[in-house]
Amino acid sequence: MIKKALYEIKQENITHKGTLQVLLKRAKTKHDQEQVYAILTLINQIEKHVELLDEQIRYQR
């Protein structure tokens, strides 16, 4: 169950990163770009935590 949730989070992150890359290209101001970069940074942090959780689950089995 947790493994499936982690997989779904990874897939959602991939989708969101793609959307944000498009938004970044369309951003008209530096402020808009900074906001997109901030969200991308958060997604990258989430991905790192998901990877750590995934590793912990593997070692527990």
Short mmCIF file of all heavy atoms in Angstrom, two decimals:
data_model
loop_
_atom_site.label_atom_id
_atom_site.label_comp_id
_atom_site.label_asym_id
_atom_site.label_seq_id
_atom_site.Cartn_x
_atom_site.Cartn_y
_atom_site.Cartn_z
N MET A 1 0.82 -1.18 0.00
CA MET A 1 0.00 0.00 0.00
C MET A 1 0.87 1.26 0.00
O MET A 1 0.66 2.16 -0.79
CB MET A 1 -0.93 -0.02 1.21
CG MET A 1 -1.91 1.11 1.21
SD MET A 1 -3.17 0.81 2.45
CE MET A 1 -3.04 2.30 3.37
N ILE A 2 1.85 1.31 0.89
CA ILE A 2 2.74 2.47 0.94
C ILE A 2 3.57 2.53 -0.33
O ILE A 2 3.77 3.61 -0.89
CB ILE A 2 3.65 2.40 2.19
CG1 ILE A 2 2.79 2.58 3.45
CG2 ILE A 2 4.74 3.45 2.13
CD1 ILE A 2 3.55 2.39 4.73
N LYS A 3 4.02 1.38 -0.80
CA LYS A 3 4.82 1.33 -2.03
C LYS A 3 4.03 1.91 -3.20
O LYS A 3 4.57 2.66 -4.01
CB LYS A 3 5.19 -0.13 -2.30
CG LYS A 3 6.24 -0.30 -3.31
CD LYS A 3 7.53 -0.58 -2.60
CE LYS A 3 8.54 -1.04 -3.60
NZ LYS A 3 9.80 -0.40 -3.43
N LYS A 4 2.75 1.56 -3.28
CA LYS A 4 1.90 2.08 -4.35
C LYS A 4 1.74 3.60 -4.23
O LYS A 4 1.81 4.32 -5.23
CB LYS A 4 0.53 1.41 -4.32
CG LYS A 4 -0.37 1.85 -5.43
CD LYS A 4 -1.71 1.16 -5.38
CE LYS A 4 -2.60 1.70 -6.50
NZ LYS A 4 -3.95 1.16 -6.44
N ALA A 5 1.57 4.09 -3.02
CA ALA A 5 1.43 5.53 -2.80
C ALA A 5 2.70 6.27 -3.21
O ALA A 5 2.63 7.33 -3.84
CB ALA A 5 1.10 5.82 -1.34
N LEU A 6 3.86 5.70 -2.87
CA LEU A 6 5.13 6.32 -3.27
C LEU A 6 5.27 6.36 -4.78
O LEU A 6 5.72 7.35 -5.35
CB LEU A 6 6.31 5.57 -2.64
CG LEU A 6 6.43 5.67 -1.12
CD1 LEU A 6 7.59 4.81 -0.63
CD2 LEU A 6 6.62 7.10 -0.68
N TYR A 7 4.85 5.29 -5.44
CA TYR A 7 4.90 5.25 -6.91
C TYR A 7 4.00 6.34 -7.50
O TYR A 7 4.40 7.04 -8.43
CB TYR A 7 4.46 3.87 -7.41
CG TYR A 7 4.37 3.80 -8.91
CD1 TYR A 7 5.51 3.68 -9.69
CD2 TYR A 7 3.13 3.88 -9.56
CE1 TYR A 7 5.44 3.63 -11.08
CE2 TYR A 7 3.05 3.84 -10.94
CZ TYR A 7 4.20 3.70 -11.69
OH TYR A 7 4.11 3.66 -13.05
N GLU A 8 2.80 6.48 -6.94
CA GLU A 8 1.87 7.50 -7.45
C GLU A 8 2.42 8.91 -7.23
O GLU A 8 2.27 9.78 -8.10
CB GLU A 8 0.51 7.35 -6.78
CG GLU A 8 -0.24 6.12 -7.26
CD GLU A 8 -1.55 5.88 -6.53
OE1 GLU A 8 -1.98 6.75 -5.76
OE2 GLU A 8 -2.14 4.82 -6.75
N ILE A 9 3.08 9.13 -6.10
CA ILE A 9 3.70 10.43 -5.84
C ILE A 9 4.77 10.71 -6.89
O ILE A 9 4.85 11.81 -7.44
CB ILE A 9 4.30 10.50 -4.43
CG1 ILE A 9 3.18 10.51 -3.38
CG2 ILE A 9 5.20 11.72 -4.26
CD1 ILE A 9 3.66 10.31 -1.96
N LYS A 10 5.58 9.70 -7.19
CA LYS A 10 6.63 9.88 -8.21
C LYS A 10 6.01 10.25 -9.56
O LYS A 10 6.50 11.14 -10.25
CB LYS A 10 7.43 8.59 -8.37
CG LYS A 10 8.36 8.30 -7.22
CD LYS A 10 9.10 6.99 -7.47
CE LYS A 10 9.89 6.57 -6.27
NZ LYS A 10 10.57 5.29 -6.49
N GLN A 11 4.94 9.56 -9.94
CA GLN A 11 4.30 9.84 -11.22
C GLN A 11 3.70 11.24 -11.25
O GLN A 11 3.82 11.96 -12.25
CB GLN A 11 3.22 8.79 -11.51
CG GLN A 11 3.76 7.41 -11.72
CD GLN A 11 4.84 7.35 -12.78
OE1 GLN A 11 4.66 7.83 -13.90
NE2 GLN A 11 5.98 6.78 -12.46
N GLU A 12 3.07 11.65 -10.16
CA GLU A 12 2.50 12.99 -10.08
C GLU A 12 3.60 14.05 -10.18
O GLU A 12 3.42 15.07 -10.83
CB GLU A 12 1.72 13.18 -8.78
CG GLU A 12 0.40 12.43 -8.75
CD GLU A 12 -0.63 12.98 -9.72
OE1 GLU A 12 -0.72 14.21 -9.85
OE2 GLU A 12 -1.33 12.18 -10.34
N ASN A 13 4.71 13.81 -9.52
CA ASN A 13 5.82 14.76 -9.57
C ASN A 13 6.34 14.93 -10.99
O ASN A 13 6.65 16.04 -11.42
CB ASN A 13 6.96 14.32 -8.65
CG ASN A 13 6.68 14.61 -7.20
OD1 ASN A 13 5.76 15.34 -6.87
ND2 ASN A 13 7.47 14.02 -6.32
N ILE A 14 6.42 13.84 -11.73
CA ILE A 14 6.87 13.91 -13.12
C ILE A 14 5.92 14.78 -13.93
O ILE A 14 6.35 15.66 -14.69
CB ILE A 14 6.97 12.49 -13.73
CG1 ILE A 14 8.13 11.73 -13.09
CG2 ILE A 14 7.14 12.56 -15.25
CD1 ILE A 14 8.17 10.25 -13.41
N THR A 15 4.62 14.58 -13.73
CA THR A 15 3.61 15.37 -14.43
C THR A 15 3.73 16.85 -14.07
O THR A 15 3.74 17.72 -14.95
CB THR A 15 2.20 14.88 -14.09
OG1 THR A 15 2.09 13.50 -14.46
CG2 THR A 15 1.14 15.68 -14.81
N HIS A 16 3.83 17.13 -12.79
CA HIS A 16 3.91 18.52 -12.34
C HIS A 16 5.18 19.20 -12.82
O HIS A 16 5.17 20.37 -13.19
CB HIS A 16 3.80 18.61 -10.82
CG HIS A 16 2.47 18.18 -10.29
ND1 HIS A 16 1.27 18.60 -10.83
CD2 HIS A 16 2.15 17.37 -9.26
CE1 HIS A 16 0.28 18.06 -10.16
NE2 HIS A 16 0.77 17.31 -9.21
N LYS A 17 6.28 18.46 -12.82
CA LYS A 17 7.54 19.06 -13.29
C LYS A 17 7.44 19.45 -14.76
O LYS A 17 7.92 20.50 -15.16
CB LYS A 17 8.70 18.09 -13.07
CG LYS A 17 9.15 18.02 -11.63
CD LYS A 17 10.22 16.98 -11.44
CE LYS A 17 11.57 17.62 -11.41
NZ LYS A 17 12.61 16.66 -11.00
N GLY A 18 6.78 18.63 -15.55
CA GLY A 18 6.60 18.95 -16.95
C GLY A 18 5.76 20.21 -17.13
O GLY A 18 6.10 21.10 -17.93
N THR A 19 4.70 20.29 -16.36
CA THR A 19 3.84 21.48 -16.42
C THR A 19 4.61 22.72 -16.00
O THR A 19 4.51 23.79 -16.62
CB THR A 19 2.62 21.30 -15.50
OG1 THR A 19 1.90 20.13 -15.90
CG2 THR A 19 1.70 22.49 -15.54
N LEU A 20 5.39 22.60 -14.94
CA LEU A 20 6.15 23.74 -14.44
C LEU A 20 7.24 24.18 -15.41
O LEU A 20 7.55 25.37 -15.52
CB LEU A 20 6.74 23.42 -13.06
CG LEU A 20 5.71 23.37 -11.94
CD1 LEU A 20 6.30 22.71 -10.71
CD2 LEU A 20 5.19 24.74 -11.61
N GLN A 21 7.82 23.24 -16.14
CA GLN A 21 8.82 23.60 -17.15
C GLN A 21 8.18 24.48 -18.23
O GLN A 21 8.78 25.45 -18.69
CB GLN A 21 9.45 22.36 -17.78
CG GLN A 21 10.31 21.56 -16.82
CD GLN A 21 11.54 22.31 -16.37
OE1 GLN A 21 12.00 23.23 -17.01
NE2 GLN A 21 12.06 21.92 -15.23
N VAL A 22 6.95 24.14 -18.62
CA VAL A 22 6.23 24.95 -19.60
C VAL A 22 5.94 26.33 -19.02
O VAL A 22 6.15 27.36 -19.69
CB VAL A 22 4.91 24.25 -20.03
CG1 VAL A 22 4.05 25.17 -20.88
CG2 VAL A 22 5.23 22.97 -20.78
N LEU A 23 5.48 26.37 -17.77
CA LEU A 23 5.21 27.65 -17.12
C LEU A 23 6.47 28.50 -17.03
O LEU A 23 6.42 29.72 -17.20
CB LEU A 23 4.63 27.45 -15.73
CG LEU A 23 3.19 26.97 -15.65
CD1 LEU A 23 2.81 26.69 -14.19
CD2 LEU A 23 2.25 27.98 -16.26
N LEU A 24 7.59 27.86 -16.76
CA LEU A 24 8.86 28.58 -16.64
C LEU A 24 9.21 29.26 -17.97
O LEU A 24 9.64 30.41 -18.00
CB LEU A 24 9.96 27.62 -16.21
CG LEU A 24 11.30 28.23 -15.86
CD1 LEU A 24 11.16 29.23 -14.72
CD2 LEU A 24 12.27 27.14 -15.46
N LYS A 25 8.98 28.56 -19.06
CA LYS A 25 9.26 29.14 -20.38
C LYS A 25 8.33 30.30 -20.69
O LYS A 25 8.71 31.23 -21.39
CB LYS A 25 9.13 28.07 -21.46
CG LYS A 25 10.23 27.04 -21.41
CD LYS A 25 10.03 25.97 -22.46
CE LYS A 25 11.10 24.90 -22.31
NZ LYS A 25 10.89 23.80 -23.24
N ARG A 26 7.12 30.25 -20.16
CA ARG A 26 6.13 31.29 -20.44
C ARG A 26 6.16 32.44 -19.43
O ARG A 26 5.50 33.45 -19.64
CB ARG A 26 4.73 30.69 -20.44
CG ARG A 26 4.49 29.73 -21.57
CD ARG A 26 3.09 29.21 -21.55
NE ARG A 26 2.88 28.24 -22.61
CZ ARG A 26 1.80 27.51 -22.73
NH1 ARG A 26 0.82 27.63 -21.86
NH2 ARG A 26 1.68 26.65 -23.71
N ALA A 27 6.92 32.26 -18.36
CA ALA A 27 6.97 33.30 -17.32
C ALA A 27 7.49 34.60 -17.90
O ALA A 27 8.50 34.63 -18.59
CB ALA A 27 7.86 32.84 -16.16
N LYS A 28 6.77 35.65 -17.63
CA LYS A 28 7.11 36.95 -18.22
C LYS A 28 7.98 37.81 -17.31
O LYS A 28 8.73 38.64 -17.78
CB LYS A 28 5.83 37.70 -18.57
CG LYS A 28 4.94 36.94 -19.53
CD LYS A 28 4.19 37.88 -20.42
CE LYS A 28 3.21 37.17 -21.30
NZ LYS A 28 3.77 36.42 -22.38
N THR A 29 7.90 37.57 -16.02
CA THR A 29 8.67 38.39 -15.09
C THR A 29 9.62 37.53 -14.29
O THR A 29 9.44 36.31 -14.18
CB THR A 29 7.75 39.16 -14.12
OG1 THR A 29 7.11 38.21 -13.25
CG2 THR A 29 6.70 39.97 -14.85
N LYS A 30 10.60 38.17 -13.71
CA LYS A 30 11.55 37.45 -12.86
C LYS A 30 10.83 36.87 -11.64
O LYS A 30 11.13 35.76 -11.20
CB LYS A 30 12.66 38.40 -12.41
CG LYS A 30 13.75 37.71 -11.63
CD LYS A 30 14.90 38.64 -11.34
CE LYS A 30 15.95 37.86 -10.55
NZ LYS A 30 17.17 38.62 -10.37
N HIS A 31 9.85 37.61 -11.12
CA HIS A 31 9.07 37.13 -9.96
C HIS A 31 8.34 35.83 -10.31
O HIS A 31 8.34 34.89 -9.51
CB HIS A 31 8.07 38.21 -9.51
CG HIS A 31 7.21 37.79 -8.37
ND1 HIS A 31 7.71 37.61 -7.10
CD2 HIS A 31 5.89 37.49 -8.31
CE1 HIS A 31 6.72 37.23 -6.30
NE2 HIS A 31 5.62 37.16 -7.01
N ASP A 32 7.74 35.77 -11.48
CA ASP A 32 7.06 34.55 -11.92
C ASP A 32 8.04 33.38 -12.01
O ASP A 32 7.75 32.27 -11.58
CB ASP A 32 6.38 34.76 -13.28
CG ASP A 32 5.20 35.70 -13.21
OD1 ASP A 32 4.68 35.96 -12.10
OD2 ASP A 32 4.77 36.20 -14.28
N GLN A 33 9.22 33.66 -12.57
CA GLN A 33 10.24 32.62 -12.69
C GLN A 33 10.67 32.12 -11.32
O GLN A 33 10.83 30.92 -11.11
CB GLN A 33 11.45 33.14 -13.45
CG GLN A 33 11.20 33.39 -14.91
CD GLN A 33 12.39 34.02 -15.60
OE1 GLN A 33 13.27 34.57 -14.96
NE2 GLN A 33 12.40 33.96 -16.92
N GLU A 34 10.85 33.03 -10.40
CA GLU A 34 11.26 32.65 -9.04
C GLU A 34 10.21 31.78 -8.37
O GLU A 34 10.56 30.83 -7.65
CB GLU A 34 11.53 33.90 -8.20
CG GLU A 34 12.79 34.63 -8.61
CD GLU A 34 12.95 35.97 -7.94
OE1 GLU A 34 11.99 36.47 -7.30
OE2 GLU A 34 14.05 36.55 -8.06
N GLN A 35 8.95 32.09 -8.60
CA GLN A 35 7.88 31.28 -8.01
C GLN A 35 7.89 29.87 -8.58
O GLN A 35 7.74 28.89 -7.84
CB GLN A 35 6.52 31.94 -8.23
CG GLN A 35 6.30 33.16 -7.37
CD GLN A 35 4.94 33.77 -7.58
OE1 GLN A 35 4.44 33.84 -8.70
NE2 GLN A 35 4.34 34.20 -6.49
N VAL A 36 8.09 29.76 -9.88
CA VAL A 36 8.14 28.43 -10.51
C VAL A 36 9.36 27.66 -9.99
O VAL A 36 9.25 26.47 -9.66
CB VAL A 36 8.17 28.55 -12.05
CG1 VAL A 36 8.38 27.18 -12.69
CG2 VAL A 36 6.87 29.17 -12.56
N TYR A 37 10.50 28.33 -9.89
CA TYR A 37 11.70 27.67 -9.35
C TYR A 37 11.47 27.20 -7.91
O TYR A 37 11.92 26.11 -7.52
CB TYR A 37 12.91 28.60 -9.38
CG TYR A 37 13.60 28.67 -10.72
CD1 TYR A 37 13.83 29.89 -11.34
CD2 TYR A 37 14.04 27.52 -11.36
CE1 TYR A 37 14.46 29.97 -12.56
CE2 TYR A 37 14.67 27.59 -12.59
CZ TYR A 37 14.88 28.81 -13.18
OH TYR A 37 15.51 28.87 -14.40
N ALA A 38 10.76 27.98 -7.12
CA ALA A 38 10.48 27.60 -5.73
C ALA A 38 9.64 26.32 -5.69
O ALA A 38 9.90 25.41 -4.89
CB ALA A 38 9.77 28.73 -5.00
N ILE A 39 8.65 26.24 -6.56
CA ILE A 39 7.81 25.04 -6.60
C ILE A 39 8.61 23.84 -7.08
O ILE A 39 8.50 22.74 -6.54
CB ILE A 39 6.57 25.27 -7.50
CG1 ILE A 39 5.69 26.37 -6.89
CG2 ILE A 39 5.77 23.99 -7.67
CD1 ILE A 39 4.61 26.89 -7.82
N LEU A 40 9.46 24.05 -8.10
CA LEU A 40 10.31 22.96 -8.58
C LEU A 40 11.25 22.46 -7.47
O LEU A 40 11.49 21.26 -7.34
CB LEU A 40 11.11 23.41 -9.80
CG LEU A 40 10.34 23.49 -11.11
CD1 LEU A 40 11.17 24.21 -12.17
CD2 LEU A 40 9.95 22.10 -11.59
N THR A 41 11.76 23.39 -6.68
CA THR A 41 12.63 23.02 -5.56
C THR A 41 11.87 22.16 -4.55
O THR A 41 12.39 21.15 -4.07
CB THR A 41 13.18 24.28 -4.87
OG1 THR A 41 13.93 25.03 -5.84
CG2 THR A 41 14.07 23.94 -3.70
N LEU A 42 10.64 22.53 -4.26
CA LEU A 42 9.83 21.74 -3.34
C LEU A 42 9.57 20.34 -3.89
O LEU A 42 9.65 19.35 -3.16
CB LEU A 42 8.49 22.44 -3.06
CG LEU A 42 8.56 23.69 -2.21
CD1 LEU A 42 7.21 24.39 -2.19
CD2 LEU A 42 9.01 23.35 -0.81
N ILE A 43 9.27 20.26 -5.18
CA ILE A 43 9.04 18.95 -5.79
C ILE A 43 10.30 18.10 -5.71
O ILE A 43 10.25 16.90 -5.42
CB ILE A 43 8.54 19.09 -7.24
CG1 ILE A 43 7.11 19.63 -7.23
CG2 ILE A 43 8.61 17.77 -7.99
CD1 ILE A 43 6.56 19.94 -8.60
N ASN A 44 11.46 18.70 -5.95
CA ASN A 44 12.71 17.95 -5.85
C ASN A 44 12.94 17.45 -4.43
O ASN A 44 13.42 16.32 -4.23
CB ASN A 44 13.89 18.82 -6.31
CG ASN A 44 13.90 19.02 -7.81
OD1 ASN A 44 13.37 18.20 -8.56
ND2 ASN A 44 14.48 20.11 -8.25
N GLN A 45 12.61 18.26 -3.44
CA GLN A 45 12.74 17.83 -2.05
C GLN A 45 11.79 16.67 -1.75
O GLN A 45 12.18 15.71 -1.07
CB GLN A 45 12.48 19.00 -1.11
CG GLN A 45 13.56 20.05 -1.13
CD GLN A 45 13.22 21.27 -0.30
OE1 GLN A 45 12.08 21.47 0.11
NE2 GLN A 45 14.21 22.12 -0.07
N ILE A 46 10.59 16.76 -2.26
CA ILE A 46 9.63 15.66 -2.07
C ILE A 46 10.17 14.39 -2.70
O ILE A 46 10.09 13.31 -2.10
CB ILE A 46 8.25 16.03 -2.67
CG1 ILE A 46 7.59 17.13 -1.84
CG2 ILE A 46 7.34 14.81 -2.75
CD1 ILE A 46 6.38 17.76 -2.50
N GLU A 47 10.74 14.50 -3.90
CA GLU A 47 11.29 13.33 -4.57
C GLU A 47 12.40 12.69 -3.74
O GLU A 47 12.49 11.46 -3.65
CB GLU A 47 11.83 13.70 -5.94
CG GLU A 47 10.74 13.95 -6.96
CD GLU A 47 11.28 14.35 -8.31
OE1 GLU A 47 12.41 14.88 -8.39
OE2 GLU A 47 10.57 14.13 -9.29
N LYS A 48 13.24 13.50 -3.13
CA LYS A 48 14.32 12.96 -2.29
C LYS A 48 13.74 12.21 -1.09
O LYS A 48 14.22 11.13 -0.74
CB LYS A 48 15.24 14.08 -1.82
CG LYS A 48 16.11 14.63 -2.93
CD LYS A 48 16.95 15.78 -2.45
CE LYS A 48 17.71 16.43 -3.60
NZ LYS A 48 18.45 17.61 -3.19
N HIS A 49 12.71 12.77 -0.48
CA HIS A 49 12.09 12.11 0.67
C HIS A 49 11.41 10.81 0.26
O HIS A 49 11.47 9.82 0.98
CB HIS A 49 11.08 13.05 1.35
CG HIS A 49 11.72 14.16 2.12
ND1 HIS A 49 12.39 13.97 3.29
CD2 HIS A 49 11.79 15.48 1.86
CE1 HIS A 49 12.86 15.12 3.74
NE2 HIS A 49 12.51 16.06 2.88
N VAL A 50 10.79 10.82 -0.90
CA VAL A 50 10.14 9.60 -1.41
C VAL A 50 11.19 8.52 -1.63
O VAL A 50 10.98 7.35 -1.28
CB VAL A 50 9.35 9.90 -2.70
CG1 VAL A 50 8.94 8.61 -3.41
CG2 VAL A 50 8.12 10.73 -2.39
N GLU A 51 12.33 8.90 -2.20
CA GLU A 51 13.40 7.92 -2.42
C GLU A 51 13.91 7.34 -1.09
O GLU A 51 14.14 6.14 -0.98
CB GLU A 51 14.55 8.56 -3.20
CG GLU A 51 14.24 8.82 -4.64
CD GLU A 51 13.89 7.57 -5.42
OE1 GLU A 51 14.54 6.53 -5.21
OE2 GLU A 51 12.95 7.65 -6.23
N LEU A 52 14.07 8.20 -0.09
CA LEU A 52 14.50 7.73 1.22
C LEU A 52 13.49 6.77 1.83
O LEU A 52 13.86 5.73 2.39
CB LEU A 52 14.74 8.91 2.17
CG LEU A 52 15.95 9.78 1.86
CD1 LEU A 52 15.95 11.02 2.75
CD2 LEU A 52 17.24 8.98 2.05
N LEU A 53 12.22 7.11 1.73
CA LEU A 53 11.18 6.22 2.25
C LEU A 53 11.18 4.89 1.51
O LEU A 53 11.03 3.82 2.10
CB LEU A 53 9.80 6.88 2.13
CG LEU A 53 9.51 8.00 3.10
CD1 LEU A 53 8.23 8.71 2.71
CD2 LEU A 53 9.42 7.47 4.53
N ASP A 54 11.36 4.96 0.20
CA ASP A 54 11.40 3.75 -0.62
C ASP A 54 12.56 2.85 -0.19
O ASP A 54 12.40 1.63 -0.05
CB ASP A 54 11.54 4.15 -2.09
CG ASP A 54 11.13 3.06 -3.04
OD1 ASP A 54 10.32 2.19 -2.64
OD2 ASP A 54 11.62 3.05 -4.19
N GLU A 55 13.71 3.44 0.07
CA GLU A 55 14.87 2.66 0.53
C GLU A 55 14.60 2.04 1.90
O GLU A 55 14.94 0.88 2.15
CB GLU A 55 16.11 3.55 0.61
CG GLU A 55 16.72 3.86 -0.73
CD GLU A 55 17.95 4.73 -0.59
OE1 GLU A 55 18.64 4.66 0.44
OE2 GLU A 55 18.22 5.50 -1.54
N GLN A 56 14.00 2.82 2.80
CA GLN A 56 13.69 2.29 4.13
C GLN A 56 12.76 1.10 4.05
O GLN A 56 12.93 0.11 4.76
CB GLN A 56 13.07 3.38 5.01
CG GLN A 56 14.07 4.42 5.46
CD GLN A 56 13.41 5.52 6.28
OE1 GLN A 56 12.19 5.62 6.36
NE2 GLN A 56 14.23 6.36 6.89
N ILE A 57 11.78 1.18 3.17
CA ILE A 57 10.83 0.08 3.02
C ILE A 57 11.56 -1.16 2.49
O ILE A 57 11.32 -2.28 2.96
CB ILE A 57 9.68 0.48 2.07
CG1 ILE A 57 8.79 1.50 2.78
CG2 ILE A 57 8.86 -0.72 1.64
CD1 ILE A 57 7.77 2.16 1.87
N ARG A 58 12.47 -0.97 1.54
CA ARG A 58 13.21 -2.11 0.99
C ARG A 58 14.06 -2.80 2.05
O ARG A 58 14.16 -4.01 2.10
CB ARG A 58 14.10 -1.65 -0.16
CG ARG A 58 13.36 -1.69 -1.48
CD ARG A 58 14.29 -1.46 -2.64
NE ARG A 58 14.03 -0.08 -3.07
CZ ARG A 58 14.95 0.77 -3.48
NH1 ARG A 58 16.20 0.42 -3.52
NH2 ARG A 58 14.62 1.98 -3.84
N TYR A 59 14.70 -1.99 2.92
CA TYR A 59 15.56 -2.58 3.94
C TYR A 59 14.78 -3.25 5.06
O TYR A 59 15.29 -4.13 5.73
CB TYR A 59 16.49 -1.51 4.53
CG TYR A 59 17.57 -1.08 3.57
CD1 TYR A 59 17.74 0.26 3.24
CD2 TYR A 59 18.42 -2.01 2.96
CE1 TYR A 59 18.72 0.66 2.34
CE2 TYR A 59 19.40 -1.62 2.06
CZ TYR A 59 19.55 -0.29 1.77
OH TYR A 59 20.52 0.11 0.89
N GLN A 60 13.55 -2.87 5.27
CA GLN A 60 12.74 -3.47 6.31
C GLN A 60 12.24 -4.85 5.92
O GLN A 60 11.89 -5.65 6.76
CB GLN A 60 11.54 -2.57 6.65
CG GLN A 60 11.93 -1.34 7.43
CD GLN A 60 10.74 -0.43 7.70
OE1 GLN A 60 9.62 -0.68 7.24
NE2 GLN A 60 10.99 0.64 8.44
N ARG A 61 12.25 -5.14 4.64
CA ARG A 61 11.72 -6.44 4.19
C ARG A 61 12.75 -7.50 4.17
O ARG A 61 13.79 -7.64 4.31
CB ARG A 61 11.13 -6.31 2.79
CG ARG A 61 9.88 -5.47 2.85
CD ARG A 61 9.25 -5.34 1.52
NE ARG A 61 8.09 -4.49 1.67
CZ ARG A 61 7.13 -4.44 0.81
NH1 ARG A 61 7.17 -5.18 -0.25
NH2 ARG A 61 6.11 -3.65 0.98
#
